[in-house]
Amino acid sequence: MTALVAVGAHAEPVEPTGQPPAAAPEISDLAAGRLLVQAGRFEDALVFLKQAQPANEEEAIERHFLLGAVYMRLRQPREAAEQYEAILVIRPDLTRVRLELARAHYAAGQDDKAKYHFQLSLGDRLPSSVESAVESFLNAIDARKRWSAHVSIAALPETNAVRRTDRETVQIGGATFRLNEDAREASGIGTQLSAGGAYFPTVGDGLRGHFALSTAAKLYEQSAWNDIALVGKAGLTRLFEGGSASGGVQVGRRWQGTAGFQSSVGPWARVDYRLSNRTRVGANTNADYRKHDERDDLDGWRISLNPIVRYVLDSQTVLEAGPQFELVEARTDHRSSRLAGLGVGVSRAFENGITASLSASAQLNGYRGEDPLFEKTREDRIGWLSVRVLHRSLQLSGFAPYVGYTYERSTSNIPLHDYENHGAILGLTREF
């Protein structure tokens, strides 16, 4: 039989070849999903993209990106954020993806996470129009922020949990005295807990209330080593272009061992300002009067000031630095002190969802009066180092695991206050 093929207005005979007609080329699920996204058929695209099997890393990235775009169009920003996070686990240098992740967190109301990624993205070279859009998002986040919360729990083994000297003897007035075990270093494994929440109701145009409650605790098998603190704040926050200023009153309560140790009350203030796309400056200050349950010689004001500069080096790296100042007044001069120091830190995002941070500080703490026992004015030099690695892509009910190491060293002209402490930390943390 002869087949017919239409040519113009005529039908020309075509002799059969004896071969079956060529099969239509197969299209992959990923390609089908891509075409359906371009056609605006997002529900259908979702079906194909979910079942797609990427052949390589490039296809895996494209699949996650298309799924993120589809979920955003379907108004499921939390699911979209999961897809963009999966890309940054593989390629943390992709600023375009980081911007989409920030936008997804913003749409989901996860403003702290959105702000973090928007600020990191500013470390890259962005077109001016994109920079303006990021600034608008950051301003909108500050304007609409209503609440935040965090919680973490960790195991904390330390070589010198009590921060005491390792010396067996000390010299007092030319005589040698042997220290008993309760006055010397001791190792231990503690449980470290921290949690907090804040609420920012609207008071007026550009004015928010500020109410916060936080707690931090170190708990040990030896209950005499326990240290628990609870702090509450109330105040106001004024929002302005590029930053905010806050202030109010805070109250605190601290327990050591199994008994109350200290109560405090006083004003606090904080300012934060975006100096440029890459640079933020800020400062925290507190002035609280501390009253001790059983040591009235320690009663008095404590005033602290901590300015800080935060610089986004690139879309993966953040640098921080700032001086530290503290003034402690007490009823007895040898309990009053003045502290000055400097702290620095760097944080970098790596592949596989890992973020590593390194922090260090050096402090000089001098006391006002002569110690009556050692007959000299005490002066301490304190160094502190911390390394922490957070794995964002490994999560348990929203909690991300982290591990770390800390080192602390105090060198004093009164040997009783010399100590050294090494600590490891293994924990879970979550921000809301």
Side-chain angles (χ1 to χ4, degrees):
M1 180 178 293
T2 300
L4 298 178
V5 175
V7 180
H10 306 283
E12 300 290 341
V14 177
E15 293 299 327
T17 64
Q19 299 294 327
E26 290 188 5
I27 184 171
S28 68
D29 289 329
L30 180 61
R34 184 192 310 123
L35 292 172
L36 288 167
V37 169
Q38 294 171 354
R41 295 170 55 184
F42 301 111
E43 295 279 4
D44 296 329
L46 185 60
V47 175
F48 282 94
L49 291 172
K50 277 186 171 182
Q51 65 190 25
Q53 298 294 324
N56 50 50
E57 182 179 291
E58 183 179 345
E59 288 191 357
I61 290 175
E62 182 184 13
R63 174 178 175 270
H64 285 304
F65 192 84
L66 290 172
L67 278 169
V70 167
Y71 280 126
M72 286 296 287
R73 289 296 189 124
L74 298 177
R75 298 183 179 181
Q76 300 178 49
R78 291 180 182 271
E79 288 76 7
E82 291 177 0
Q83 300 301 321
Y84 296 132
E85 285 273 17
I87 298 175
L88 292 179
V89 165
I90 305 171
R91 291 285 305 280
D93 58 313
L94 296 179
T95 302
R96 165 70 189 281
V97 176
R98 193 173 295 282
L99 285 167
E100 294 297 334
L101 173 61
R103 195 166 65 91
H105 282 316
Y106 177 83
Q110 297 173 317
D111 286 348
D112 287 339
K113 293 181 179 180
K115 190 172 185 177
Y116 170 77
H117 289 289
F118 275 131
Q119 289 176 340
L120 271 185
S121 70
L122 290 172
D124 206 347
R125 295 182 179 274
L126 302 177
S128 58
S129 59
V130 177
E131 285 186 354
S132 297
V134 171
E135 289 179 5
S136 296
F137 272 112
L138 290 172
N139 289 333
I141 288 171
D142 289 338
R144 79 175 191 178
K145 187 174 184 179
R146 294 295 179 272
W147 69 276
S148 66
H150 73 274
V151 61
S152 67
I153 181 171
L156 186 65
E158 295 178 289
T159 60
N160 188 6
V162 290
R163 287 158 176 76
R164 297 174 185 153
T165 184
D166 62 350
R167 294 171 178 264
E168 294 185 359
T169 61
V170 294
Q171 293 287 327
I172 302 176
T176 300
F177 292 85
R178 179 171 295 277
L179 297 175
N180 60 35
E181 291 296 324
D182 291 339
R184 299 180 57 214
E185 70 174 8
S187 61
I189 300 177
T191 300
Q192 182 171 280
L193 304 170
S194 67
Y199 176 55
F200 314 100
T202 300
V203 176
D205 186 20
L207 191 63
R208 301 285 185 270
H210 186 121
F211 301 96
L213 184 66
S214 63
T215 184
K218 286 184 178 180
L219 305 175
Y220 295 88
E221 181 179 354
Q222 302 90 334
S223 59
W225 298 358
N226 291 349
D227 195 342
I228 304 171
L230 181 67
V231 177
K233 291 185 176 182
L236 294 172
T237 296
R238 167 63 70 180
L239 305 177
F240 52 85
E241 189 69 22
S244 63
S246 307
V249 176
Q250 72 175 23
V251 295
R253 181 64 174 156
R254 186 176 176 185
W255 296 263
Q256 287 188 342
T258 58
F261 174 68
Q262 171 190 287
S263 299
S264 62
V265 61
W268 65 273
R270 180 187 178 195
V271 63
D272 179 73
Y273 180 67
R274 189 165 62 252
L275 196 62
S276 68
N277 285 338
R278 294 192 178 206
T279 307
R280 298 186 73 90
V281 295
N284 294 293
T285 184
N286 295 280
D288 52 306
Y289 186 83
R290 304 184 302 172
K291 185 174 179 58
H292 297 77
D293 292 34
E294 298 180 1
R295 294 287 305 276
D296 58 3
D297 61 316
L298 297 175
D299 292 352
W301 284 93
R302 172 186 174 273
I303 301 172
S304 65
L305 174 64
N306 299 102
I308 190 167
V309 177
R310 186 174 187 268
Y311 180 75
V312 181
L313 184 64
D314 55 42
S315 62
Q316 297 172 247
T317 311
V318 178
L319 306 176
E320 292 185 348
Q324 305 162 343
F325 304 101
E326 182 183 83
L327 181 152
V328 175
E329 293 291 341
R331 292 188 179 183
T332 54
D333 282 350
H334 73 280
R335 301 293 186 184
S336 301
S337 62
R338 307 288 187 273
L339 179 148
L342 177 66
V344 297
V346 58
S347 175
R348 182 169 177 83
F350 295 92
E351 295 181 1
N352 301 318
I354 292 175
T355 300
S357 58
L358 172 67
S359 302
S361 69
Q363 301 171 338
L364 177 63
N365 194 16
Y367 287 75
R368 179 187 297 172
E370 184 178 275
D371 187 289
L373 185 61
F374 290 90
E375 299 180 335
K376 63 175 66 176
T377 302
R378 178 180 166 187
E379 187 175 278
D380 301 340
R381 290 175 174 83
I382 304 167
W384 182 81
L385 176 70
S386 171
V387 180
R388 193 176 87 153
V389 178
L390 173 69
H391 206 319
R392 293 182 181 276
S393 62
L394 288 180
Q395 296 204 359
L396 176 64
S397 300
F399 285 82
Y402 66 94
V403 296
Y405 164 79
T406 60
Y407 173 73
E408 187 177 359
R409 170 73 175 170
S410 174
T411 304
S412 177
N413 63 341
I414 296 180
L416 186 63
H417 302 292
D418 285 347
Y419 69 83
E420 187 176 56
N421 181 43
H422 298 265
I425 188 167
L426 174 61
L428 297 170
T429 184
R430 182 176 182 179
E431 294 183 355
F432 302 85

